Amino acid sequence: AFSSKTSLQEAQTLLDGLTDCRAPTKTRIVAEMWGKLLQDIEPVAEIPLHLLYELEDLLKDLLEQTLYMPLDWEALPENAYEILRNLLHTRTLLENSNLPMLAWSKRHGELRFSCLDASHEIGNTIKQFGGSLLMSATLSPMEQFAKCCGQNLVSSSLVQAETPWRKKAYRLAIDLRVDTRLKLRTLHYTTTADTICRLADSAEDCVVAYFPSYEYAEGINETLLNFDSAPTVFLQPRGLSLAKQNEFLSNALNSAKVLLLIMGGSFAEGIDVLGGHVSHALIVGPSLPVADNVQRARMARLENLDSEAAYHLVCREPAITRILQAVGRMVRRPGQKATILFHCQRFAESHYQGLFSETTPEYIRTDEGMARWLRTL
């Protein structure tokens, strides 16, 4: 909501649309200038200030020429209209002093504006109401959640709904045999695929494996296909609507033995039907975000913290929250049980102990240890 992007391709689409609806010559000239300016943008961690000022001024001129000059809106193509809406949203973001933004480019001809801290804007929005009720199963750490919402925890009331039945609903284990870091994960592809197969053999229903990226999941899927007796595997498709997501998931739960999902995606965070249908899951790595220029800019704003504490706040804590959300959806009511295997040695580090605050995990160090653990399921 507080970030946006546009591109040279969109600028050309807008210019074509303005031409089709016979917009005034000056309007089309400004739109053409906007495209030429975007054409000069190359991948960069931060847009130079002089170029940013030029972009902001030209964007303002473009919107004024488009919105306040005579225009046949009925003849303007829908895609050009949506691009205008996005540009108007971008200008609104840039004019909001409560939203510190990073202007950068990932590829040629593309312009991105990423919000670095939305807490002040969220806080101002909440102040407009006489009272606000914020509910979630993953609000912790509470101090950081309140800060991100622009709230003072001292002046807020906290109501915690106890669910004692959940404390005995999980069986957790940490697999220390593998390291899923980007540079090392391919060395363990066979072990990961074999672990998925063996976990599937021990479960009566479908097994879910969560991955930090599509590339990782696709690599394991290809490895599984090379196994002689591989189980039926469904890989989460990209870009599905909510209706298609539910359709895919329903089909997968009925037909697949293994379901490969992407951590942090809508399947992991937004679908509640796994509870009661899936009792075994593999969390492949802590799903840390890539420390790109946006994350580094966010960490740089935390001047009161050292680099390790800033990294934990910006990268690790959101990853832990995503995992808790995915795991939490496997147990939705009393009587449901779930066995979760955390498949990476990093889960044994102190940084991730928040994942195991209610259930003490078992530790698996060898292939023999894995075999013994599976026999107890």
Side-chain angles (χ1 to χ4, degrees):
F2 297 130
S3 296
S4 70
K5 68 176 181 178
T6 189
S7 66
L8 175 60
Q9 182 179 2
E10 289 185 354
Q12 185 59 53
T13 300
L14 176 60
L15 178 58
D16 292 342
L18 292 172
T19 302
D20 291 343
C21 71
R22 298 182 179 180
T25 301
K26 187 175 181 180
T27 302
R28 285 182 278 128
I29 290 175
V30 176
E32 186 175 0
M33 292 172 59
W34 174 251
K36 288 181 178 179
L37 193 55
L38 290 179
Q39 189 172 17
D40 292 336
I41 295 179
E42 297 294 340
V44 64
E46 184 172 5
I47 300 293
L49 273 179
H50 72 277
L51 179 55
L52 179 59
Y53 292 148
E54 188 176 357
L55 285 163
E56 290 180 348
D57 289 342
L58 190 54
L59 176 60
K60 181 179 179 181
D61 291 343
L62 173 60
L63 290 173
E64 288 180 351
Q65 285 293 324
T66 306
L67 298 177
Y68 303 120
M69 292 295 176
L71 192 67
D72 185 357
W73 291 100
E74 294 294 332
L76 185 69
E78 181 67 24
N79 55 355
Y81 179 76
E82 290 302 322
I83 291 170
L84 274 177
R85 284 172 56 91
N86 180 59
L87 292 177
L88 185 60
H89 171 65
T90 300
R91 188 184 71 173
T92 302
L93 293 178
L94 295 176
E95 291 177 346
N96 191 335
S97 59
N98 287 326
L99 294 173
M101 308 292 290
L102 175 69
W104 61 290
S105 178
K106 189 175 184 179
R107 55 182 61 88
H108 170 72
E110 181 184 81
L111 177 62
R112 294 182 178 231
F113 294 97
S114 298
C115 179
L116 300 179
D117 182 2
S119 60
H120 292 295
E121 182 65 15
I122 295 174
N124 286 341
T125 301
I126 291 176
K127 286 179 183 178
Q128 299 176 26
F129 301 90
S132 299
L133 181 61
L134 308 179
M135 297 187 297
S136 174
T138 50
L139 296 181
S140 60
M142 283 301 304
E143 295 80 3
Q144 181 59 22
F145 174 79
K147 185 177 180 181
C148 288
C149 294
Q151 302 301 299
N152 184 347
L153 192 58
V154 176
S155 60
S156 303
S157 298
L158 176 62
V159 178
Q160 186 167 349
E162 297 292 340
T163 53
W165 49 271
R166 292 180 65 91
K167 294 182 179 180
K168 295 184 179 181
Y170 290 97
R171 182 175 181 182
L172 310 180
I174 299 176
D175 189 351
L176 302 173
R177 300 173 301 154
V178 299
D179 190 333
T180 62
R181 274 178 270 250
L182 183 61
K183 294 182 179 180
L184 299 173
R185 61 182 53 160
T186 56
L187 301 176
H188 303 283
Y189 269 18
T190 301
T191 300
T192 299
D194 178 69
T195 302
I196 291 174
C197 289
R198 296 170 71 182
L199 190 62
D201 289 340
S202 69
E204 296 181 0
D205 45 27
C206 181
V207 168
V208 174
Y210 290 103
F211 291 85
S213 68
Y214 271 103
E215 182 181 10
Y216 199 170
E218 289 165 350
I220 296 301
N221 188 37
E222 292 177 3
T223 304
L224 285 167
L225 292 175
N226 292 326
F227 283 17
D228 292 334
S229 56
T232 304
V233 179
F234 277 37
L235 173 63
Q236 173 184 333
R238 299 174 186 255
L240 293 184
S241 65
L242 181 58
K244 290 294 184 181
Q245 289 175 17
N246 286 317
E247 180 182 341
F248 165 79
L249 196 58
S250 176
N251 185 32
L253 292 175
N254 290 326
S255 306
K257 188 61 178 176
V258 174
L259 181 57
L260 308 183
L261 300 181
I262 311 305
M263 183 65 71
S266 55
F267 284 89
E269 296 180 5
I271 297 180
D272 292 337
V273 300
L274 294 182
H277 294 280
V278 174
S279 61
H280 292 60
L282 188 78
I283 310 296
V284 184
S287 297
L288 296 173
V290 177
D292 57 15
N293 56 303
V294 177
Q295 304 292 357
R296 286 191 288 269
R298 287 172 178 159
M299 288 187 280
R301 291 176 54 82
L302 304 174
E303 298 177 350
N304 59 322
L305 301 179
D306 59 37
S307 58
E308 173 58 30
Y311 179 82
H312 183 78
L313 190 64
V314 172
C315 296
R316 285 200 194 95
E317 283 192 355
I320 291 172
T321 298
R322 286 192 291 271
I323 294 173
L324 288 173
Q325 289 171 337
V327 170
R329 281 172 168 77
M330 295 182 63
V331 176
R332 306 302 289 172
R333 60 177 181 266
Q336 293 180 350
K337 303 286 185 180
T339 297
I340 314 294
L341 179 61
F342 293 85
H343 187 67
C344 182
Q345 58 188 234
R346 282 179 289 172
F347 284 119
E349 298 174 1
S350 60
H351 306 300
Y352 301 99
Q353 291 312 297
L355 293 168
F356 313 108
S357 58
E358 295 185 351
T359 304
T360 302
E362 303 170 66
Y363 292 88
I364 300 171
R365 294 177 171 82
T366 63
D367 293 342
E368 292 75 14
M370 174 60 70
R372 287 194 300 271
W373 181 75
L374 288 170
R375 285 195 294 269
T376 65
L377 300 183

